[in-house]
Every structure is written in structure tokens, then in C-alpha cells.
Amino acid sequence: MSPQYSMPSKEEKIQFFQSLSKVYSQDDDDEELDLDLDLPVPTNGLSTSSESAASSGAGSTVGKKRLHEESPADLEQRKVAKVEKPKKTAGPTTSSTRTAQSGSNNDETDSDDDVVFMKSKPVSRPAPKETKSDSKVPSSLVSSSSTRSRGNAKRPDAPERRSTMPATGLVDTTNIPRATEIRHNKKRERMIFDGISFYYIPNDTKNPVRRKRIARLQELGAVWADDLNERGKTTIVSYIFVDKKHSWDMMISYLKGRKIPDAAIVVNEEYSGHCIEFGRIVQPIPKRFLVSKPQTEADSLSNIPSLVPAKSNPTDHNVSPYSLKIKPKKPKQPPQPESQIPDADEQAETPPDDPPPKFEIFKPVEVSKPVDTKKDALSDMIVKSKRIADASMFIEPESDEEEVSKGEPAFSKTSMPGGSKIFKFEQHFLCNKGPQKQSKDCPNARTIEMLEKLLEYYELTGDQWRPIAYRKAIAALKRQKEKVCTSKEAKKISGIGQRIADKIEEIVETNELRRLDYAMDDPNYETLSLFLKIYGCGLQQAKVWISQGHRTIDDLLKHAKLSKHQRIGIEHLDDFDTRIPREEVKEHGEVVRSVLREMDSDLSMEIMGSYRRGKADCGDIDIMVTHPTATANELHKVLEDLLERLFESGFLKADMTSSRRMGGMTMHGASQLRPGMPWRRLDILMVPNECVGAALLYFTGDDIFNRSIRLLARKKGLKLNQNGLWKGRQTDANSKVITEGTRVVSGPDEKAIFDYLGVEWREPHERIYH
DNA sequence: GGGCGGTACTG
DNA sequence: CAGTACC
DNA sequence: GCCC
């Protein structure tokens, strides 16, 4: 991008910095998404713009009418207009209060109204054209037009630092290299709902989720009808969406005698999201989407089969929401869309995630009567183990019943009732065998994909815990056999809380996630991700480089100060970033093995890491070397010897653990099978016999599993590390270690550790939570 | 509102 | 010590 | 972020 490079002057830095900040528009919660470059920037020159929810007056009254009457273009215009108002008054004057609290992101309840779209980039965007029903998709750009000023969520040490650009700031700083905006225009969306009109029950936007759905329908071309049948106009409602909280009877009473147009199809609210996911209007799957008058109770029960969310429980009084039957009289297709719904077509291509048929294979019906029943058997133990077992890990992976959650094995010693019951479906979630299959097999693949993107983003954020929470949530979602559609369902899953549950629902409903758009929009997103791929470069380093103006690998090579690791990391960035086929991992292992054999026939070796977990491809190669009798010291020498030999043979290309201390037992380096082949990250760990069990555990992972089982150990007053399982460790008030304690389990038996901890044995391939 | 794995190496 | 890394 |  920038032909010539020079270190930025101080002033340039400031400008650059200003240009980094953005003003987000955010609707559903106001947490901070901040790739906050924690730089020593003088705050004086920078103003803080108070975005303010000044416009908050817009209550629910605004909702419907506006949404209803305005074309998308109008909408957009309105938003722009609104934005500018606060802008004028927003001077350098303070706002500390506002911004400060926005950083603490507490509630998410308030913000979800019309205020929503308001905050927008100060830069004047070309106002949308008047073109009414143009083929363009103006409103879909809404979210991408946003920017916002950000506070610093955590980081007490840097409380007020937030840069903001004065209204003109962004524009004027165009001379700054790459800090300018990189707007990814949102991909154009097809107006799949063009020509249809719909009515909602209830027909308002009081519920945020409903509001989103309605907005989304409109964005994609649908017209929101004021009434079921607008007499004056020609509009005839083609779809009626029924909020799931409404039963058929409620709906009827809501309509107060108004008749449902013959042409109208009555569907539940999830139908729109389903269509969006397909990119066109699809025929509603009867049991899943069509809403109809319930029949006799017995009847409707038998009819509930799999598909629908668990909550429709027989015992669960009639709330029975969308688990309603097909409308008695078969609804006709609505006029317009009809042509677009070739039946054959629908049949032909199988929906990417059409749960019902697919998953019946596993467990057709179980969904409906989950929870309560299962508790009793375990309850006893659960009471005790509940607080000990970390939620996520010690439950069946399948967790099938959504109740799922915790409890369970952990304390096998005493009771083992639940243990054996459900363990058959491993293959299902062991979808890692086929690289690309995986995503297809999982009913929640789409959701997971989106959440993973968000996870990636949060990793760039420097938040230590959120990414972990996301990974646990994603892992939990992966275990679900049924598609999780609503936040309520999602919330029941252990590891998924309210915030992520809401996001799941948003994804399912709208097939997109606003938060993600904002995230991707950050001008530093790409640079940061790029730099973070470099071995030896973490977040802090990446930020420093960015603050120094570096944006490309080339910049770094030419002008940045690089550590030895980083230099290697950069030189082989692509190599290290490429997955290694299982076969090749094995080959690397064989090279090491053969050298070891030359050295001492008692030395043995095992390939660990994701290879041992059975993955088809690995990020690196992990090798554990053991010897039945060698002491640590001897092993250290073996390692030195081994490395020397590997170097000589040309196999080992780099050792990034070079200044290994005496007694060092690890090597982090790179190896290459043959000239011309990529370098691979190679880790070698020497393990004395008494530590082998623990080392197996550690080196097999995955990391979530490790964290979890270590936490469990700790909750039981033990300590698990790669050298063994320990007890009797004493700490003083300051948690300083007084006594190290003694090793409870040692030796090469991995299972012994599981046993001692009361954790049911899991094969390596069952330890995948990633 | 506080917890969130335990460790090794680098500079 | 903070940062980065390993699983 | 989630959970206690």
C-alpha cells in the first residue's frame, strides 16, 4: 500500500491514532469491542466524542411505523440524518461519564431500540438515493456504515484513554498510511423477500428479537403489513409470522375476529431465518414452521417428533408453541412467491441443515422429554460433584439432553450409574476425521462458524477470558445433536450463557451477527491477525508494531526489530501456518524414531498432540521421548545428542529453545523432511519414566481438556501438572507455596490419573473440545 | 463479584 | 517481570 | 464470556 516507508513522526502518530478510533453503531449490547492499541498517546490533543444516546427518545413508538412505512433507503437516510445531529454538538467536550460507563458494559437491555442504528460515522457518506425499489440493497449496508468511539473495557490502568476524531478527523488524516478506513462493503444480498408482505403476531417490535426479524425481512424486500388485509390497498398478506410465545388460540384472540386471508401462510417466526439461510424462499417444512390449529392433545403429542425444541413437553402444560400441526386446510402458496418456489427444486437440493431426517438416525425423539427424568439417578452424586466438576468437561460430550450440563462422572469412585449409558455416538461428534465433512454434519455448523469468527476477533482484543468462554460455548454447541434455534434452548446448555445464547438466536434468525460486522470492520483487524500468526509474536508485540506504523510482513522485515524466534516465524510464516497432513506428521516422527534407535534401543517415542487425538491434520508435531530408567539428567543429554544428530542430518532446521538451561527437557524447533518441503513446527519433550502418565495427559490435550481436568484436580485439593498428580501442597495466606507435596500418581500409566481423580477414562480422540 | 491450568522459556 | 508459548 |  505504501510504497515508501518511514518511521512516523510523533505528530503522525497522533494522527494515525486518531484515525484508528472509530465510532461504532451498536445495537444489541454495548459491550466494548476494542482492538485498543494501548499506545502512549498524548490524550490532550484528542477529543472524546460523546456519542450519547441522545436520541434515545425513540421508544417503541418509533418502531413500527417507521419500519413499516419507510423503504430501506428511507431508513438509511433517516439513520444518517439522525447521526449528524449529535455530531454537531459533540465537541471535544468530555463525555467522560458516558464513555466510561459504556466501557463497563453491563446491561444489554436498554440499547436495543431504535437508538440502535444511530451512531454512525461522522464522515459524511453519500446519502442514499431516492431510488425506491431499486435493485440495490441499501439497508443492508447499515451496519457497516458504523463506527463508534470506544472506551476501554477492562484495563483499569488505562481508563480514559480513548481517542476520537473530531468530525473532520478521519477525513483529514488521509495522509496517514494505512490507517484509513477499510470498509468492507457488505456483500450484496439478494432481496429474497421481494414482493411478499407479512404480518406479525404480535405485530409490533416490542420484543428485540422480533424487531430484528422484522427489520431483516424488510431489508430483504418484504413489506410489513399494518393489518391482515389492508382494504384500501391491494396488499394481501402472504405470510403471517407467529411469535412462538403465542399458541394458536392466542393468535386467534389476538386477531379479534379478523380473518386470516386464504392466501396467507401461517408460520412460526423461525421460518424467515430459515429462508435467509437458504438465500431464497423455501417451502416451509410443515412440522417445523407451519403453524396450525392444534388437534386433540394426544394427537398433537404423537406428532411432535423430533424436530422441535425440547420445551414442548407433554407435562409442560399447553404452552405448546410451534409444535403445532399443519394447518387443517392446507395453506395455499402466496401469490407472488409461488413462482419462485418450484417444488422440485426444494426437494432436490437438500437443505444444508435440515435436522429432522438427518438426525433421526441417532435419536429421533428423545428431545422431548429430557430434563427432569434424568436427574434423579444422578442427583445424589451431582449435588456433590456439581461444584467440583467443571461444567463443560465431565459430562458426556453428547450431552444430548439439553439439560445436560454438569454433574455426572467426575466422582466415579462412589457411584457410576450414569456412566455407561450414552456413549455411542462418538463418531458423530468426532467429525474431525474428514476435514470438510465436519461442518456439514453438525446441525449447528453455521452458528458455530459465526461464533468462531467472533472468537477470533476477541482473541485480538486481548481479553483473556472471553475467548475461553467462547471456546467452551462452541464446544458445547458442537456436541448438540439438534440444531439450537432459540436463545432459550441455547441457554440451557452448560457453557452457554445469556449473551452467547442471544447471539445464537440472532444467527439462526437472521443468519448474520451484527457484532461480527463491527468486528471485521476494524481497520486493524487484518494487520493484527496477520502479525499474530507469526511465531513469537503475541498481541503486545503486534500492537507495538502496528503503532509503529508497520502493516505488512515486508515492513517488519525491513524496519522492525525482530527477535530470533520472530525472524524464523516470519521467514516461514506460510509453512507454519499450514496444516500438516497426518501422514507427514508420522513421517517426521519416523525420522526422529530412527535416530533414537541409533542412540539407545530403550528410548521410545510417541507422537502426541493432535496427532494422538486422531486428527487428520495437525498444526505442529509433538514428540515425547521416554526411557524406562534414565534420569532427568541423562535425558537432558539425550536431548542434546538427539538434536545434534537431527541437525546434522539436515532434518532439524531450527531450534528456538536454544539457550536451553541445563536440565532443559524441551525443544521447540522446526524440521523439514526433504529440501523443498515446508518447515514444520516440531516440539520435543523428554520425559522421565515417573512422569510419563502425566505427560501423556498433558501432551495429548486438548487445552480445554487440560484446563478442565487440572481445575478438577485442584478443586479436590490436588495439583496436576505435566509431571504428575500431587497432593499435600500447602500454601500460606498469600497462596505462596510452603510445601510442594508429594506425588500421588506417578509412572507411565495415564489412566491411573483419571482413576485417582475419579474421571472416567477418555480415549485421546474423546478429549477434543476445541 | 471473583473465579477461570500449570508450566517453561525469552529478553 | 511481562510476554509468548505448549497442550 | 460463563459459572458459582
Side-chain angles (χ1 to χ4, degrees):
Chain A
M1 203 176 211
S2 69
Q4 73 282 31
Y5 178 96
S6 65
M7 285 301 283
S9 69
K10 183 178 175 187
E11 187 162 280
E12 283 171 333
K13 274 192 186 173
I14 295 174
Q15 286 181 330
F16 164 72
F17 209 60
Q18 292 172 343
S19 67
L20 291 182
S21 67
K22 301 193 311 178
V23 186
Y24 275 24
S25 93
Q26 212 164 356
D27 50 352
D28 42 6
D29 35 39
D30 50 355
E31 78 203 46
E32 291 302 321
L33 291 184
D34 196 355
L35 295 189
D36 164 40
L37 291 194
D38 199 1
L39 303 176
V41 169
T43 49
N44 52 19
L46 308 173
S47 63
T48 13
S49 85
S50 59
E51 279 311 322
S52 83
S55 44
S56 62
S60 49
T61 56
V62 198
K64 174 179 172 179
K65 261 221 162 158
R66 275 215 192 108
L67 288 174
H68 172 49
E69 289 174 352
E70 291 176 353
S71 75
D74 294 334
L75 254 181
E76 170 79 352
Q77 211 168 25
R78 181 182 103 245
K79 286 160 198 159
V80 171
K82 270 225 165 154
V83 170
E84 301 197 6
K85 211 185 274 172
K87 226 45 212 177
K88 287 178 196 159
T89 58
T93 50
T94 159
S95 75
S96 47
T97 55
R98 171 66 188 170
T99 41
Q101 75 190 24
S102 83
S104 68
N105 77 289
N106 353 10
D107 62 68
E108 38 196 317
T109 50
D110 60 50
S111 50
D112 200 343
D113 243 81
D114 262 6
V115 197
V116 176
F117 303 120
M118 304 295 120
K119 308 173 186 172
S120 169
K121 207 166 55 169
V123 184
S124 56
R125 298 163 53 80
K129 309 294 175 263
E130 271 300 303
T131 51
K132 286 276 156 79
S133 56
D134 209 86
S135 57
K136 298 279 184 185
V137 191
S139 59
S140 67
L141 298 176
V142 167
S143 52
S144 64
S145 71
S146 51
T147 46
R148 78 155 192 224
S149 74
R150 292 113 85 204
N152 200 334
K154 47 224 131 241
R155 269 207 154 101
D157 51 283
E160 268 315 335
R161 188 190 319 120
R162 77 186 34 88
S163 53
T164 316
M165 54 297 196
T168 57
L170 237 190
V171 183
D172 290 345
T173 56
T174 46
N175 57 334
I176 299 305
R178 319 89 172 152
T180 52
E181 51 192 327
I182 306 173
R183 292 284 97 91
H184 310 251
N185 273 346
K186 216 163 138 184
K187 67 276 171 181
R188 235 168 249 176
E189 294 176 294
R190 287 179 43 216
M191 303 289 277
I192 59 172
F193 295 127
D194 206 9
I196 75 151
S197 65
F198 68 95
Y199 184 84
Y200 232 95
I201 296 179
N203 209 29
D204 59 46
T205 58
K206 284 175 187 155
N207 176 315
V209 175
R210 186 159 66 241
R211 180 173 177 281
K212 262 178 227 161
R213 291 187 185 112
I214 289 174
R216 196 73 180 114
L217 277 159
Q218 291 179 314
E219 281 177 13
L220 299 180
V223 174
W224 185 14
D226 239 354
D227 199 352
L228 272 185
N229 206 332
E230 305 198 345
R231 279 166 279 285
K233 309 175 184 180
T234 52
T235 325
I236 292 179
V237 174
S238 36
Y239 285 95
I240 297 174
F241 290 93
V242 184
D243 188 287
K244 56 178 176 253
K245 285 194 284 293
H246 284 60
S247 67
W248 177 268
D249 292 339
M250 289 165 73
M251 177 182 84
I252 296 301
S253 72
Y254 179 88
L255 293 178
K256 292 179 182 140
R258 287 171 292 173
K259 277 190 101 176
I260 297 174
D262 284 349
I265 296 180
V266 185
V267 289
N268 68 48
E269 56 185 8
E270 293 178 350
Y271 176 59
S272 57
H274 186 68
C275 292
I276 292 168
E277 191 167 344
F278 277 84
R280 64 189 173 81
I281 295 177
V282 295
Q283 232 176 5
I285 299 166
K287 290 174 184 170
R288 193 165 156 201
F289 298 117
L290 288 182
V291 177
S292 62
K293 185 167 187 167
Q295 321 246 356
T296 77
E297 195 171 9
D299 208 6
S300 74
L301 286 186
S302 63
N303 217 343
I304 281 187
S306 46
L307 33 93
V308 191
K311 39 135 74 83
S312 56
N313 193 333
T315 67
D316 213 18
H317 32 294
N318 57 12
V319 184
S320 113
Y322 32 97
S323 56
L324 304 170
K325 311 265 277 297
I326 308 183
K327 204 172 181 178
K329 93 181 156 179
K330 186 167 182 182
K332 300 195 315 197
Q333 297 292 337
Q336 291 107 330
E338 183 150 37
S339 55
Q340 304 176 2
I341 314 179
D343 269 61
D345 185 14
E346 165 68 8
Q347 243 70 325
E349 53 183 85
T350 56
D353 64 337
D354 192 358
K358 218 184 227 165
F359 296 95
E360 265 161 6
I361 302 168
F362 295 118
K363 278 200 174 187
V365 190
E366 102 253 291
V367 191
S368 37
K369 50 213 78 184
V371 207
D372 299 355
T373 59
K374 116 182 225 179
K375 278 229 146 147
D376 42 351
L378 305 166
S379 57
D380 229 30
M381 157 179 59
I382 290 181
V383 177
K384 196 173 174 189
S385 65
K386 206 164 202 172
R387 75 183 34 159
I388 290 174
D390 172 25
S392 40
M393 237 68 322
F394 302 100
I395 50 182
E396 299 18 356
E398 82 275 66
S399 78
D400 59 24
E401 335 292 358
E402 59 263 63
E403 190 341 273
V404 169
S405 354
K406 57 268 309 327
E408 236 293 15
F411 271 78
S412 58
K413 273 188 189 167
T414 49
S415 50
M416 240 13 271
S420 57
K421 52 176 174 190
I422 344 185
F423 262 97
K424 282 297 159 250
F425 67 117
E426 259 80 344
Q427 298 119 356
H428 166 32
F429 122 62
L430 256 217
C431 30
N432 45 342
K433 289 290 181 173
Q436 73 246 73
K437 241 185 205 163
Q438 165 178 7
S439 50
K440 272 224 157 130
D441 285 359
C442 184
N444 294 297
R446 170 68 182 167
T447 311
I448 288 168
E449 190 186 322
M450 303 281 278
L451 290 178
E452 275 172 347
K453 286 184 193 164
L454 205 46
L455 161 64
E456 272 174 46
Y457 176 75
Y458 281 127
E459 274 171 352
L460 307 188
T461 272
D463 186 315
Q464 185 177 5
W465 301 113
R466 221 173 332 204
I468 290 173
Y470 267 81
R471 276 168 45 193
K472 285 184 177 171
I474 288 170
L477 202 51
K478 278 180 179 168
R479 282 179 239 130
Q480 300 301 310
K481 291 190 297 211
E482 303 286 340
K483 177 151 182 163
V484 178
C485 293
T486 68
S487 79
K488 207 173 161 195
E489 289 165 19
K491 182 75 167 54
K492 290 184 195 160
I493 300 166
S494 166
I496 298 180
Q498 191 59 57
R499 314 284 310 272
I500 291 183
D502 288 346
K503 288 182 174 70
I504 289 172
E505 182 167 294
E506 182 179 347
I507 292 169
V508 172
E509 295 308 330
T510 68
N511 203 30
E512 65 177 10
L513 193 53
R514 287 223 169 103
R515 165 84 64 261
L516 206 48
D517 293 333
Y518 305 141
M520 298 309 200
D521 229 16
D522 194 294
N524 290 307
Y525 184 92
E526 289 185 19
T527 311
L528 220 36
S529 343
L530 174 65
F531 288 175
L532 284 176
K533 287 177 186 164
I534 300 167
Y535 182 85
C537 170
L539 189 60
Q540 303 312 313
Q541 181 63 74
K543 284 179 178 177
V544 169
W545 283 338
I546 289 178
S547 76
Q548 292 170 347
H550 304 294
R551 288 296 177 284
T552 66
I553 295 298
D554 219 45
D555 290 346
L556 297 180
L557 282 174
K558 287 180 185 156
H559 304 103
K561 197 162 55 177
L562 301 173
S563 75
K564 200 173 76 179
H565 295 187
Q566 288 156 358
R567 190 163 293 281
I568 295 173
I570 285 179
E571 280 163 8
H572 296 276
L573 182 58
D574 291 339
D575 287 354
F576 293 165
D577 197 35
T578 307
R579 305 288 298 177
I580 313 168
R582 189 175 176 79
E583 261 315 300
E584 192 185 332
V585 174
K586 194 172 174 182
E587 260 191 276
H588 282 255
E590 291 312 318
V591 172
V592 176
R593 193 187 301 279
S594 69
V595 173
L596 286 172
R597 252 196 300 259
E598 292 172 11
M599 296 167 58
D600 183 336
S601 57
D602 281 342
L603 285 169
S604 56
M605 184 212 90
E606 194 81 35
I607 306 177
M608 309 290 291
S610 46
Y611 181 91
R612 185 164 186 246
R613 294 198 303 269
K615 299 274 290 181
D617 53 78
C618 308
D620 63 4
I621 301 154
D622 307 299
I623 290 177
M624 178 177 78
V625 177
T626 60
H627 188 283
T629 57
T631 66
N633 202 20
E634 287 164 338
L635 281 175
H636 169 71
K637 286 176 187 152
V638 169
L639 177 59
E640 298 296 316
D641 189 11
L642 172 66
L643 295 184
E644 198 178 313
R645 292 170 186 246
L646 291 174
F647 256 123
E648 272 174 23
S649 70
F651 169 76
L652 190 60
K653 311 305 284 188
D655 176 1
M656 295 178 283
T657 333
S658 46
S659 71
R660 200 177 300 99
R661 297 185 159 194
M662 258 262 292
M665 304 282 273
T666 64
M667 193 280 309
H668 296 166
S671 58
Q672 184 189 40
L673 279 181
R674 293 172 280 279
M677 295 200 59
W679 285 24
R680 305 300 197 182
R681 281 278 297 101
L682 174 69
D683 293 341
I684 297 178
L685 181 63
M686 311 298 293
V687 181
N689 196 53
E690 69 270 20
C691 300
V692 167
L696 280 165
L697 198 50
Y698 156 71
F699 224 21
T700 301
D702 64 22
D703 60 341
I704 294 188
F705 179 80
N706 281 351
R707 284 169 181 269
S708 177
I709 195 168
R710 287 178 180 207
L711 184 61
L712 173 71
R714 188 150 64 142
K715 293 276 162 87
K716 299 187 87 168
L718 305 167
K719 185 181 74 169
L720 176 63
N721 62 19
Q722 53 267 60
N723 299 317
L725 183 60
W726 308 74
K727 93 170 172 194
R729 193 175 62 141
Q730 312 266 334
T731 61
D732 66 10
N734 301 322
S735 71
K736 191 183 172 188
V737 179
I738 299 172
T739 320
E740 238 335 307
T742 56
R743 183 152 44 202
V744 168
V745 178
S746 62
D749 188 1
E750 189 181 12
K751 188 171 183 304
I753 295 173
F754 280 80
D755 288 345
Y756 197 98
L757 289 174
V759 175
E760 188 159 329
W761 168 256
R762 302 183 111 92
E763 295 295 332
H765 71 270
E766 293 171 308
R767 305 177 199 168
I768 300 174
Y769 294 90
H770 216 169

